[in-house]
Amino acid sequence: LRRHIREQMAFTNPSLVRAATAIHNTLGRAYLAVHMRIGDGVFEWNAPENVRVAWWKLLRGPLRLSDNAIIKLERELFPDEDVLPPPSLPAPDLPALRSPLPPRSPFPTDAMDTSALSCRGPLHTAPHLLSLNAPLYIATDARAPSLDALLWRFVRAFPCVFFLEDFAAHTRPLGKLWNEEDGVALG
């Protein structure tokens, strides 16, 4: 029953799948991704802490940096910010504990090819910063993500950060989608 419900909840639309596949292919074989909801309600209220927690999870998780290395990075990249202790990261939820995933393999930094991408800033050249050259896609509800002060932490650290607005050519066809039931634009 659970599998049937999950299968029925999967949102599939050929236009959406084409756009997502095109964006995925543009980003390349190895890229990082973060979902940052910061634009409304409780998410907006907790946004500063949530952004820092997501940044730490990204560096500690896929990039496998130690807490000390992340603290040094914060001091180097954000010298005007107060030095804070590492955030307490949330524990896995109950379903994740019941069905643990196998350990993740290290992020393939040798597979990063940013030559086809137009990065926002110059790539890092210092050896301890090279892993931050990985393309990073941020899914967010921020109205102008590339200008959002909270997301600047990611933009400052990752020269190849991308938002949905960067893929207008891939998402343009979505503007033509309408819900047949109520006429609401789905783009």
Side-chain angles (χ1 to χ4, degrees), residues 10-87:
F11 178 76
T12 56
N13 174 290
S15 298
L16 183 61
V17 171
R18 272 192 300 279
T21 301
I23 292 169
H24 169 77
N25 292 340
T26 300
L27 288 169
R29 187 168 75 93
Y31 64 92
L32 302 165
V34 172
H35 180 222
M36 283 303 334
R37 188 161 173 202
I38 61 174
D40 63 356
V42 71
F43 298 103
E44 184 176 18
W45 181 262
N46 295 321
E49 178 63 18
N50 289 345
V51 166
R52 186 167 184 257
V53 166
W55 193 78
W56 268 77
K57 286 175 76 171
L58 182 64
L59 297 177
R60 193 189 273 172
L63 295 183
R64 298 189 178 205
L65 297 180
S66 69
D67 286 359
N68 287 337
I70 298 171
I71 289 170
K72 287 180 185 175
L73 227 91
E74 280 188 318
R75 288 182 182 144
E76 180 180 351
L77 297 175
F78 318 116
D80 296 336
E81 288 185 10
D82 293 332
V83 177
L84 299 172

Side-chain angles (χ1 to χ4, degrees), residues 36-173:
M36 283 303 334
R37 188 161 173 202
I38 61 174
D40 63 356
V42 71
F43 298 103
E44 184 176 18
W45 181 262
N46 295 321
E49 178 63 18
N50 289 345
V51 166
R52 186 167 184 257
V53 166
W55 193 78
W56 268 77
K57 286 175 76 171
L58 182 64
L59 297 177
R60 193 189 273 172
L63 295 183
R64 298 189 178 205
L65 297 180
S66 69
D67 286 359
N68 287 337
I70 298 171
I71 289 170
K72 287 180 185 175
L73 227 91
E74 280 188 318
R75 288 182 182 144
E76 180 180 351
L77 297 175
F78 318 116
D80 296 336
E81 288 185 10
D82 293 332
V83 177
L84 299 172
S88 51
L89 301 182
D93 59 8
L94 224 43
L97 293 173
R98 278 195 299 253
S99 304
L101 296 171
R104 248 186 312 209
S105 55
F107 184 74
T109 54
D110 63 328
M112 294 182 299
D113 179 14
T114 57
S115 61
L117 300 171
S118 182
C119 297
R120 282 185 155 68
L123 297 180
H124 296 294
T125 56
H128 70 288
L129 299 175
L130 292 178
S131 64
L132 300 179
N133 289 335
L136 170 63
Y137 177 77
I138 299 179
T140 183
D141 61 348
R143 295 189 200 286
S146 58
L147 303 174
D148 193 287
L150 290 170
L151 298 176
W152 184 248
R153 170 175 285 269
F154 292 102
V155 174
R156 174 75 180 96
F158 292 87
C160 290
V161 65
F162 299 94
F163 304 100
L164 190 60
E165 66 186 22
D166 297 316
F167 300 98
H170 301 309
T171 59
R172 194 168 293 115

